[in-house]
Amino acid sequence: MMISIVLALCAAVSNAVASNLQRIAARTVPESKAFRLALILDLIRRPVWLGGIVALIAGFAFQAAALSTGPLALVQPVLATELPFTMVLLSLMFKMRLEGRIWLAVATMSVGLALFLFSASPSTGREPPSTKVWILAAIVTVAVVIGLCLLARLIEGDGRAALLGVATGIGFAFTAAFMKQSTSILAEGVATLATSWQPYAMVAAGLCSLFLLQNTLQSGTLVAAQPALTISDPVASILYGTMMFGESVRTGPWIILEAIGIGSIFFGSFLLAKSPQVRAQLLAQTKPKQRS
């Protein structure tokens, strides 16, 4: 389990680097290109965005390694540390000195994560999901993501970014589920993996989630987008892990501590993202273009 946690932390750092680099690029793209292929065509010409993609690929590699040794319900919550890593990297990129409130938020998230992992004590699943389970999970996931996106189109600003952040988090959680299954299939040999449908579904889900991520970062501030994405991913992953892979977490009185842990992660991420210092720096450094 410790190896899985270390690998998941490496994935969180890589994702934090990717988030900062991609946001710098995405927030300079005109709003008129949102939800269009033109958004990606514009971004792909920007070296900083490509650097973010390289970091994102590294994050996926670390995540896959973590999932090959640990359950979804363990690995994905650890990825919530991406948010404090994101803010620390943001301070280094823009030469900010982090205020005490930020360190308090980081400590709150860290304690919450430790409390959740201790109280939940996630265990590995009993057997891989059947094709029928995958189909049902895909239908529900696609319906929820599309619903969130349609609702996001009706509003603007940080509200849209938050809704898209939740949709993106769910998308990456579903991608992680495919990734976990693919790592198990890989143990049977490369030929078996190449002839299985799960890795191709993983790529498709990952690309769709990546497209959602670009729209999330382009539609509003990181203050609104990142907490929504950070929290929705592990929560959805716990549901996928327990309902699809047969992973187990402690129940009974332990649920109270688990809820406090998840609540602490959410509260810490909210505190961190709402920091006046971080918000002012974001608004000053990256104001989106309005013209096409």
Side-chain angles (χ1 to χ4, degrees):
M1 290 299 181
M2 185 56 65
I3 294 175
S4 298
I5 292 175
V6 171
L7 290 170
L9 286 173
C10 290
V13 173
S14 299
N15 289 340
V17 173
S19 181
N20 275 298
L21 294 180
Q22 289 182 74
R23 184 182 183 281
I24 291 173
R27 291 290 285 164
T28 61
V29 177
E31 292 181 359
S32 60
K33 294 185 178 181
F35 290 98
R36 294 169 52 191
L37 182 60
L39 173 64
I40 301 300
L41 295 178
D42 190 315
L43 290 171
I44 203 170
R45 297 195 297 267
R46 302 171 187 266
V48 65
W49 185 81
L50 294 176
I53 293 298
V54 171
L56 191 64
I57 292 173
F60 274 125
F62 281 122
Q63 184 181 6
L67 288 170
S68 68
T69 59
L72 268 173
L74 170 71
V75 173
Q76 296 304 106
V78 174
L79 293 181
T81 56
E82 174 189 341
L83 183 53
F85 284 133
T86 296
M87 296 307 177
V88 170
L89 289 172
L90 183 70
S91 72
L92 296 175
M93 292 170 64
F94 294 115
K95 298 181 180 179
M96 291 190 304
R97 183 176 180 179
L98 296 181
E99 59 188 7
R101 175 175 175 172
I102 294 178
W103 291 115
L104 175 62
V106 171
T108 301
M109 287 191 68
S110 300
V111 171
L113 177 62
L115 179 61
F116 171 78
L117 293 178
F118 168 75
S119 57
S121 187
S123 63
T124 54
R126 297 180 297 274
E127 58 185 20
S130 65
T131 301
K132 182 179 179 179
V133 171
W134 276 116
I135 293 174
L136 179 60
I139 292 173
V140 173
T141 299
V142 171
V144 171
V145 169
I146 290 178
L148 288 169
C149 290
L150 290 176
L151 185 59
R153 292 300 300 268
L154 300 178
I155 58 179
E156 297 180 353
D158 284 355
R160 174 181 291 184
L163 287 173
L164 290 177
V166 173
T168 303
I170 294 173
F172 279 124
F174 198 45
T175 303
F178 282 121
M179 187 184 298
K180 180 169 181 59
Q181 183 65 22
S182 297
T183 57
S184 298
I185 297 173
L186 181 59
E188 301 175 14
V190 176
T192 304
L193 181 66
T195 55
S196 301
W197 62 269
Q198 285 89 347
Y200 303 103
M202 177 191 69
V203 173
L207 289 176
C208 291
S209 300
L210 180 61
F211 179 72
L212 273 176
L213 177 61
Q214 306 315 311
N215 284 280
T216 299
L217 297 174
Q218 191 265 351
S219 63
T221 65
L222 193 65
V223 171
Q226 195 68 42
L229 195 158
T230 300
I231 296 300
S232 60
D233 187 339
V235 170
S237 294
I238 292 171
L239 292 176
Y240 287 132
T242 55
M243 299 180 70
M244 295 179 63
F245 290 86
E247 298 173 358
S248 62
V249 294
R250 287 172 173 169
T251 55
W254 291 104
I255 293 178
I256 298 175
L257 292 178
E258 292 164 14
I260 294 174
I262 290 291
S264 297
I265 295 173
F266 180 81
F267 181 68
S269 66
F270 177 79
L271 250 164
L272 192 59
K274 291 291 288 183
S275 164
Q277 180 190 33
V278 173
R279 188 179 182 89
Q281 190 69 19
L282 287 172
L283 294 176
Q285 295 291 340
T286 51
K287 185 177 180 181
K289 296 180 180 179
Q290 300 296 325
R291 63 180 184 278
S292 58

